Amino acid sequence: MIDTIQPVLARLLVAQTDPGIGIEIGATDGLLGGAVSAFLTTLIVGAIMIAVAPAFTERMMADALENPVGSFVYGILSIVGIVILAFLLFITLVGILVAIPLLLVAYLLWAIGTVVGYLAIADRLVGREDGWLKPLLVAAGFNGALALTGIGGLVSLCVGAVGFGAVLRDVLD
């Protein structure tokens, strides 16, 4: 009996160690893709904001630079409140119809706020004497570079919260 079980166990062990399926997982794919996505999102949303509403963009940048701590607190508390509200709405079946548009609007405002935060930083670094192109590229590059680092997510959250808070205070006040 042992003689017949032993070859079967050996085959199972060999099958487990070499399944014949090759899956390659690379850490750089996710980081590089995230960096490119962050760069392009900031570049595209920023270009749209500058083309469509330059006065609003300048006003939000000034507000974010004038009161960064207040905007940060307002942004963090707002995003926590939106996540809790969306979770509570998702628990009910009818609330899903309200939660999805709420999250989409919050995501759009977060993208706008993040661009405002990065443009404010870029404006402080390089100025706008030559136009908007240089600060827009610096803002997008800064966001993309932060996505490549391990701590960049935390810094991006803080910058996004400042811009998000500034935009929400303007929209809701």
Side-chain angles (χ1 to χ4, degrees), residues 45-138:
V45 172
I48 292 170
M49 287 176 59
I50 292 167
V52 173
F56 172 79
T57 305
E58 289 177 7
R59 192 173 74 241
M60 292 300 97
M61 288 169 48
D63 188 31
L65 289 173
E66 181 181 308
N67 188 7
V69 175
S71 294
F72 173 77
V73 170
Y74 199 87
I76 288 291
L77 292 177
S78 296
I79 200 68
V80 168
I82 288 169
V83 168
I84 290 171
L85 179 62
F87 176 74
L88 292 174
L89 287 171
F90 266 108
I91 291 174
T92 67
L93 294 176
V94 177
I96 293 173
L97 298 174
V98 176
I100 292 174
L102 172 72
L103 289 174
L104 289 174
V105 168
Y107 180 74
L108 177 65
L109 289 176
W110 180 267
I112 291 170
T114 300
V115 169
V116 164
Y118 281 113
L119 277 174
I121 293 169
D123 187 39
R124 283 286 172 110
L125 291 174
V126 297
R128 279 183 284 145
E129 294 81 26
D130 301 334
W132 281 100
L133 182 62
K134 194 185 313 180
L136 182 61
L137 289 174
V138 168

